[in-house]
Amino acid sequence: MSDPYETTEEHLERLLGRALNSFDLPDLTVERLGTALAHSTALHSSHHSSGLHRETFRHAFLLIDGSSLTLWELVHNAGRDCATQHELYLEQGEARLAASRLPSPRGAGSRTPSGYGQGGGAAGRDTDFDTDLDADLDADLEILAALMATHPPAAPRIYAPDNSADHARRVLRRAENGDRPGEDTARVLRGALAHQITQAFGRQCDVEGRDAGFTLYEHAFLLLDGSEVSIWEVEHTATPDGRHMCEVYDTEHAAREAMELRARVR
């Protein structure tokens, strides 16, 4: 039911696209789902007999405003030609009511549920996994929120065509670190068509008894061939005399390592 490599956008598109009643969802709900950052899917209940197959899935979404939204998906074969059908509901009770109204396919055997351990293989099995649903949902959303806090989604880049090749030259020229990007990077950036500057980090901290500030900037460049290249600039005052200093690195990892090293100097 779920592809581990599927993005939340792809999952939502597939979910809404296959549901027979997705048009019944309120417009506001669909708009909110469009801001989903992450999702979690879990099997909530299932019923399998000789004639009826039915499962209910819980899809939890973490939205960009920090709130959550849950959809309940009913999957069954009680439609025409016993083909698998999908239905979506906002409330668990609505999904449960829809499931209770499902007819057995024509000519099917009994669909009377009998639990595991009761010798009910011929009549069918009905299994419910919602013993601690609220706790499971809270745990899922807590994990999703933690993941998004650690790996926030990248905002769409908005490039500005503002003499970007010269901007790249000036950033590289003011770098004082010996391991700054070399001529290969400078040559690539001479073909910069546009650029965007984003602050990725900023903090004040104590360095050898003095207050020092650190700021990390990403300079992203759009090249003539449509590719993108970024260089990372660290501005700080963790210098012996407290003066302002700029360092530039090829990767974010290298830039953050440099900041950590500066901050730990004793």
Side-chain angles (χ1 to χ4, degrees):
M1 287 297 298
S2 181
D3 180 353
Y5 300 103
E6 184 178 54
T7 66
T8 296
E9 182 179 6
E10 291 169 342
H11 175 75
L12 184 59
E13 182 178 357
R14 186 167 60 92
L15 194 64
L16 296 175
R18 71 191 178 202
L20 297 176
N21 64 336
S22 59
F23 57 86
D24 286 335
L25 294 175
D27 291 343
L28 181 58
T29 297
V30 176
E31 290 177 7
R32 292 185 66 207
L33 286 169
T35 70
L37 301 176
H39 69 280
S40 173
T41 297
L43 176 64
H44 174 58
S45 63
S46 68
H47 172 102
H48 293 271
S49 70
S50 58
L52 179 70
H53 295 175
R54 182 193 73 214
E55 295 91 24
T56 302
F57 293 87
R58 185 194 75 228
H59 302 271
F61 295 89
L62 179 68
L63 307 184
I64 196 169
D65 62 2
S67 64
S68 61
L69 195 155
T70 300
L71 291 180
W72 297 87
E73 183 181 29
L74 177 62
V75 183
H76 62 85
N77 68 333
R80 181 180 301 177
D81 301 325
C82 298
T84 300
Q85 296 187 350
H86 302 258
E87 301 173 18
L88 284 176
Y89 298 92
L90 279 176
E91 302 294 336
Q92 179 187 357
E94 294 176 347
R96 183 171 292 167
L97 179 61
S100 69
R101 292 174 173 172
L102 291 178
S104 294
R106 184 169 305 196
S110 169
R111 60 185 286 266
T112 303
S114 59
Y116 286 107
Q118 297 178 5
R125 290 181 174 177
D126 203 331
T127 314
D128 207 335
F129 303 97
D130 66 347
T131 52
D132 196 9
L133 179 62
D134 291 338
D136 289 345
L137 178 58
D138 289 343
D140 284 348
L141 292 175
E142 187 174 319
I143 292 172
L144 291 175
L147 286 173
M148 297 312 300
T150 305
H151 305 284
R157 294 196 187 279
I158 301 176
Y159 287 103
D162 185 17
N163 203 4
S164 300
D166 185 62
H167 172 75
R169 181 185 61 80
R170 286 185 281 110
V171 172
L172 294 175
R173 186 179 61 185
R174 65 178 176 247
E176 298 185 48
N177 53 310
D179 53 349
R180 60 186 176 273
E183 179 56 32
D184 288 345
T185 300
R187 183 168 50 253
V188 169
L189 293 179
R190 290 187 193 115
L193 177 66
H195 69 281
Q196 179 198 55
I197 306 171
T198 305
Q199 181 176 331
F201 177 84
R203 181 171 298 175
Q204 295 289 125
C205 62
D206 179 81
V207 177
E208 296 184 326
R210 300 190 309 274
D211 187 47
F214 290 86
T215 308
L216 175 64
Y217 296 96
E218 179 187 12
H219 298 263
F221 296 90
L222 178 64
L223 306 183
L224 290 171
D225 62 1
S227 61
E228 298 174 308
V229 174
S230 289
I231 55 176
W232 298 82
E233 181 181 25
V234 176
E235 293 186 355
H236 67 86
T237 55
T239 52
D241 55 0
R243 72 178 180 85
H244 184 272
M245 180 178 181
C246 291
E247 302 177 15
V248 179
Y249 298 88
D250 280 311
T251 67
E252 181 181 8
H253 178 72
R256 289 184 179 274
E257 277 195 335
M259 286 192 296
E260 290 178 7
L261 179 63
R262 291 281 187 181
R264 293 173 182 172
V265 171
R266 288 292 182 269

